């Protein structure tokens, strides 16, 4: 890498820091998931028990522990706060951006890696998920590490017979396979079995379409044994100490996700397909310009694009059959989708071909819809709020309009600039517009929504704390209220 490329890489990582870290504590943790996970991690710290996951004195069997360990570490380093609860996800977002750049540069070029990292980071939903204290972004980091390390293993293994440094290449292939197995095990230990299945299916999809389909049996067994050893280590320790209750309840919860919608999170069969297209905005427009077949791209990218295609199709089909519909369930697909978008853009730049005017139009319209929606949503939500509670003080901050206007100006200028052939300037302007989107949502939109959804109950809990009175919630569940209660925050005992 030359000095210019180093500077661009530092710029990419600096942009990730600006998008992901400032204002992590601008909003309260959101019910239910953020508060559930933050409370489980806090109980680990207060109880000094990192083997058993407990909430309010009861075992929590819905998720394995690795994310809670990361949150607990963050609590130890920075104290128990909203910032600390969300820090592991934001850090995973930074690491994932850097990893996508490294994969792109190693596979194709510095420019392809930069485009991939920029598109993923600035898409509509990945940056939002990376700023939230939920498990999925950390989970997706381990999936990406496992998947692309398997890809590197395959590449080095096939070079063994052709390289003059066969011993070095063989050792490197074993290193990639070992690291891939480790990260697949950590993915399973972070959220569940899908963390190991997605990398294997993605790897199998590109192997099936390649000339060399065979994987040595001892390599396959080594990968399986190492991944299972990492993934099952905590389950085995927990079973030996506490019995089979957690494992039985964990399996029961996974089956519930498949068979019935939890907490009313339902949606049509195509829900995740629609979310995949929406979450990549405004870069979804890049997917329509083609070429769509991997074989029509540069040869060094063909295996990677096939791997990504298998990843996307498997994840979307799998989660389409899951009854519970939540957008972050299928969020790993933004990694291969952003890769495809980067490949489309990189090919056009390499061939020095003009983009069709319809592309610039679609890019501008999609970005404009995001900006207008950013400003209009508080008004739409406010009407619903006032129907429920006419006396609620729903006050839209002026910062929402300023942020939305800046976003609108940047995206329209960027799309027009792009349409006149100044693609690099257009990319920079559109990325800056999405910085406004990500920061604006977390700093202004989310706190406004939570002022209605969680504000009254938290005010009640705070008043009860001041008066040292008990809190009883009737037909209403709030983990934010549980987290705010006096007893667990101060000494780790069970709340009243």
């Amino acid at each position: 890498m030359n000095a210019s490329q180093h500077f661009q890489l530092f710029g990419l990582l600096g942009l990730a820091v600006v998008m992901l870290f400032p204002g992590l504590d601008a909003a309260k943790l959101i019910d239910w998931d953020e508060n559930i996970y933050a409370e489980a991690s806090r109980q680990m710290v207060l109880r000094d028990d990192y083997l058993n996951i407990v909430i309010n004195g009861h075992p929590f069997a819905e998720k394995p522990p690795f994310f809670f360990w990361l949150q607990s570490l963050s609590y130890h380093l920075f104290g128990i706060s909203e910032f600390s609860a969300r820090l592991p996800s934001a850090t995973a977002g930074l690491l994932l951006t850097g990893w996508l750049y490294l994969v792109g540069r190693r596979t194709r070029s510095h420019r392809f890696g930069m485009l991939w990292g920029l598109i993923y980071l600035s898409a509509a939903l990945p940056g939002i998920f990376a700023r939230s204290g939920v498990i999925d972004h950390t989970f997706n980091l381990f999936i990406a590490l496992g998947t692309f390390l398997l890809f590197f293993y395959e590449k080095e293994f096939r070079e063994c017979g052709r390289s003059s440094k066969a011993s070095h290449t063989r050792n490197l292939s074993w290193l990639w396979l070992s690291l891939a197995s480790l990260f697949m095990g950590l993915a399973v230990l972070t959220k569940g079995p899908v963390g190991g299945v997605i990398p294997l299916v993605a790897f199998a999809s590109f192997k099936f379409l390649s000339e060399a389909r065979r994987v040595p049996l001892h390599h396959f067994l080594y990968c399986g044994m190492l991944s299972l050893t990492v993934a099952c280590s905590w389950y085995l320790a927990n079973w030996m100490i506490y019995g089979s209750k957690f494992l039985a309840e964990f399996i029961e919860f996974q089956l519930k996700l498949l068979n019935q919608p939890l907490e009313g999170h339902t949606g049509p069969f195509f829900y995740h397909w629609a979310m995949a297209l929406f979450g990549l905005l405004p870069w979804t427009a890049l997917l329509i310009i083609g070429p769509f077949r991997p074989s029509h791209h540069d040869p060094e990218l063909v295996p990677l694009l096939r791997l990504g295609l298998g990843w996307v199709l498997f994840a979307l089909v799998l989660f389409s059959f899951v009854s519970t519909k939540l957008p972050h369930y299928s969020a790993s697909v933004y990694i291969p989708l952003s890769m495809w978008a980067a490949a489309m853009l990189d090919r056009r730049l390499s061939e020095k071909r003009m983009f069709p005017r319809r592309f610039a139009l679609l890019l501008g319209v999609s970005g404009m819809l995001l900006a207008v929606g950013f400003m209009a949503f508080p008004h739409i939500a406010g009407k619903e709020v006032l129907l429920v509670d006419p006396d609620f003080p729903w006050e839209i901050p002026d910062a929402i309009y300023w942020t939305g206007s800046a976003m609108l100006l940047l995206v329209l200028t960027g799309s027009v600039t792009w349409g006149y052939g100044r693609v690099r300037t257009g990319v920079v302007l559109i990325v800056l517009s999405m910085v406004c989107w990500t920061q604006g949502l977390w700093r202004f939109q989310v706190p406004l929504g939570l002022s209605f959804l969680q504000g009254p109950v938290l005010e009640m809990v705070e008043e009860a704390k001041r008066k040292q009175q008990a809190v009883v919630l009737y037909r209403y569940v709030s983990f934010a209220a549980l987290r705010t209660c006096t007893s667990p925050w101060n000494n780790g005992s069970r709340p009243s």
Side-chain angles (χ1 to χ4, degrees):
M1 291 177 63
N2 56 40
S4 175
Q5 291 175 340
H6 277 108
F7 179 78
Q8 292 172 12
L9 175 57
F10 289 142
L12 172 64
L13 298 179
L15 176 68
V17 170
V18 169
M19 286 191 70
L20 301 179
F21 291 92
L24 279 179
D25 55 354
K28 296 288 185 181
L29 296 178
I30 304 171
D31 267 339
W32 284 2
D33 287 2
E34 278 199 310
N35 279 297
I36 290 175
Y37 303 151
E39 176 62 15
S41 303
R42 191 178 64 82
Q43 290 290 338
M44 279 187 172
V45 173
L46 297 178
R47 292 161 55 92
D48 197 26
D49 179 3
Y50 299 93
L51 190 60
N52 204 20
I53 308 172
V54 173
I55 295 181
N56 200 24
H58 299 281
F60 179 69
E62 295 183 8
K63 300 291 186 293
F66 195 79
F67 181 76
F68 306 129
W69 292 343
L70 294 178
Q71 277 192 326
S72 299
L73 175 62
S74 181
Y75 287 164
H76 277 295
L77 293 175
F78 303 104
I80 297 175
S81 66
E82 282 83 1
F83 176 86
S84 301
R86 291 172 174 144
L87 183 61
S89 290
T91 304
L94 174 63
L95 294 175
L96 184 51
T97 301
W99 176 237
L100 297 185
Y101 165 78
L102 290 174
V103 175
R105 182 172 68 87
R106 182 180 176 85
T107 306
R108 176 77 169 94
S109 65
H110 165 79
R111 184 177 65 191
F112 176 66
M114 287 291 299
L115 291 174
W116 189 359
L118 279 173
I119 290 173
Y120 179 78
L121 179 66
S122 61
L125 289 185
I128 301 300
F129 294 149
R131 289 177 60 89
S132 66
V134 296
I135 294 174
D136 297 82
H137 216 72
T138 306
F139 181 58
N140 294 337
L141 169 64
F142 292 138
I143 290 176
L145 286 166
T147 302
F148 296 126
L149 284 167
L150 281 178
F151 179 78
F152 290 159
Y153 148 76
E154 166 67 13
K155 187 176 180 181
E156 295 294 339
F157 178 71
R158 293 303 161 197
E159 288 293 325
C160 287
R162 300 190 293 266
S163 174
S164 59
K165 299 180 180 179
S167 177
H168 172 75
T169 306
R170 187 178 299 108
N171 291 337
L172 196 56
S173 70
W174 276 103
L175 174 62
W176 297 146
L177 183 60
S178 300
L179 290 174
S181 304
L182 169 65
F183 286 117
M184 285 191 291
L186 288 178
V188 175
L189 203 54
T190 300
K191 194 171 182 183
V194 175
V197 175
I198 288 178
L200 292 176
V201 170
F203 181 72
S205 66
F206 109 85
K207 285 290 291 180
F208 179 76
L209 296 172
S210 65
E211 296 179 358
R213 299 180 181 178
R214 188 179 65 87
V215 175
L217 179 61
H218 64 289
H219 288 201
F220 180 79
L221 293 176
Y222 173 78
C223 177
M225 290 299 295
L226 181 54
S227 296
L228 287 174
T229 299
V230 174
C232 296
S233 57
W234 176 80
Y235 292 94
L236 180 60
N238 187 279
W239 174 72
M240 293 176 64
I241 297 174
Y242 298 105
S244 60
K245 183 177 180 180
F246 175 89
L247 191 58
E249 292 183 356
F250 177 77
I251 294 173
E252 180 184 358
F253 177 76
Q254 302 303 313
L255 293 175
K256 281 184 179 179
L257 288 177
L258 286 171
N259 299 324
Q260 63 187 65
L262 300 182
E263 291 91 42
H265 295 299
T266 61
F269 183 82
F270 58 84
Y271 173 89
H272 287 287
W273 300 79
M275 291 307 302
L277 296 176
F278 172 79
L280 196 64
L281 286 175
W283 306 111
T284 309
L286 284 168
L287 299 180
I288 70 168
I289 63 174
F292 303 105
R293 296 183 64 179
S295 58
H296 290 172
H297 287 267
D298 293 332
E300 65 265 30
L301 269 184
V302 170
L304 194 63
L305 293 174
R306 287 172 174 169
L307 179 144
L309 183 61
W311 181 342
V312 170
L313 293 177
F314 173 74
L316 291 180
V317 170
L318 172 66
F319 289 108
S320 294
F321 284 100
V322 174
S323 296
T324 304
K325 307 293 186 185
L326 285 168
H328 53 266
Y329 277 17
S330 60
S332 73
V333 300
Y334 299 126
I335 297 169
L337 284 176
S338 59
M339 174 184 67
W340 269 86
M344 305 289 193
L345 178 53
D346 185 65
R347 180 181 174 89
R348 289 272 176 166
L349 292 174
S350 297
E351 297 174 348
K352 298 181 179 180
R353 293 168 59 195
M354 289 287 292
F355 284 80
R357 290 298 175 91
R358 68 178 185 277
F359 167 78
L361 178 63
L362 182 57
L363 186 67
V365 169
S366 59
M368 182 180 67
L369 290 176
L370 284 177
V372 172
F374 181 90
M375 293 183 282
F377 181 76
H379 289 278
I380 299 171
K383 291 181 180 180
E384 298 298 321
V385 167
L386 295 177
L387 286 176
V388 176
D389 183 0
D391 297 324
F392 187 83
W394 183 263
E395 299 179 358
I396 302 174
D398 292 339
I400 287 181
Y401 301 115
W402 285 109
T403 305
S405 298
M407 182 182 172
L408 183 61
L409 177 62
L410 286 166
V411 76
L412 290 179
T413 305
S415 59
V416 170
T417 303
W418 198 314
Y420 281 96
R422 299 180 63 182
V423 176
R424 289 174 176 82
T425 303
V427 169
V428 170
L429 291 172
I430 290 170
V431 167
L432 290 176
S433 76
M434 297 309 293
V435 174
C436 296
W437 162 268
T438 301
Q439 282 286 337
L441 275 176
W442 274 103
R443 287 181 178 273
F444 312 124
Q445 300 271 17
V446 173
L448 179 62
L450 292 182
S451 68
F452 174 74
L453 296 173
Q454 294 178 191
V457 69
L458 293 183
E459 290 175 5
M460 179 188 70
V461 171
E462 291 290 350
E463 182 179 358
K465 285 172 60 177
R466 290 193 299 270
K467 297 180 179 179
Q468 296 184 343
Q469 295 177 344
V471 176
V472 178
L473 300 178
Y474 177 67
R475 299 182 68 181
Y476 179 83
V477 177
S478 173
F479 289 92
L482 171 65
R483 239 176 37 86
T484 310
C485 286
T486 301
S487 297
W489 274 103
N490 288 343
N491 55 30
S493 59
R494 293 177 63 180
S496 301

